[in-house]
Amino acid sequence: MIIGGSASQDLAAHVARELGEEVSYVETKKFPDGERYLRINGDIEDEVTVIQSTGYPQDENLMELLFIISTLKDLGAKKVRAVVPYMGYARQEKRFNPGESISAKTICNLIQAA
């Protein structure tokens, strides 16, 4: 099963068609205070591949990816793969100056933890 996040629905549909897999989409909306609502449509299989870019707007797309992964696990998926065609915050993969955040490492840790 392939889940297409809102930032990568077309790509998810193409990949699913090429692989002969079922594709499912997420329903998202924004509450008046800016928080996100997310609902995964369809029955969840044991193995799921999520396709979601974390490009602009990076924070929103990243949070959606984390919500999708966490929700899939809560709903019983035993193995979740994340395909991130564009990974926001990947530019800072090492510390160039003292005190800088290594954002790529943090993002990878968040995805893995979800």
Side-chain angles (χ1 to χ4, degrees), residues 1-4 12-13 15-25 41-45 47-49:
M1 165 181 255
I2 295 177
I3 302 282
V15 170
R17 191 169 32 255
E18 286 293 318
L19 297 176
E21 292 281 333
E22 177 187 344
V23 66
S24 187
Y25 300 102
N41 297 311
D43 295 327
I44 304 306
E45 297 178 2
E47 290 191 25
V48 183
T49 299

Side-chain angles (χ1 to χ4, degrees), residues 1-4 19 21 45-52 65 68-69 72-73 77-84 111 114:
M1 165 181 255
I2 295 177
I3 302 282
L19 297 176
E21 292 281 333
E45 297 178 2
D46 285 345
E47 290 191 25
V48 183
T49 299
V50 178
I51 301 177
Q52 169 73 344
L65 174 62
I68 292 170
I69 294 169
L72 287 168
K73 292 202 168 192
K78 299 198 181 348
K79 184 174 187 176
V80 178
R81 290 178 207 88
V83 176
V84 184
I111 293 170

Side-chain angles (χ1 to χ4, degrees), residues 94-113:
K94 64 181 180 178
R95 190 170 287 120
F96 297 96
N97 296 301
E100 288 182 336
S101 172
I102 304 174
S103 57
K105 179 180 177 182
T106 301
I107 297 303
C108 289
N109 288 340
L110 286 169
I111 293 170
Q112 186 175 10

Side-chain angles (χ1 to χ4, degrees), residues 3 9 29 39 43 60 76 82:
I3 302 282
Q9 290 185 348
K29 54 186 166 184
R39 179 175 176 262
D43 295 327
E60 287 185 23

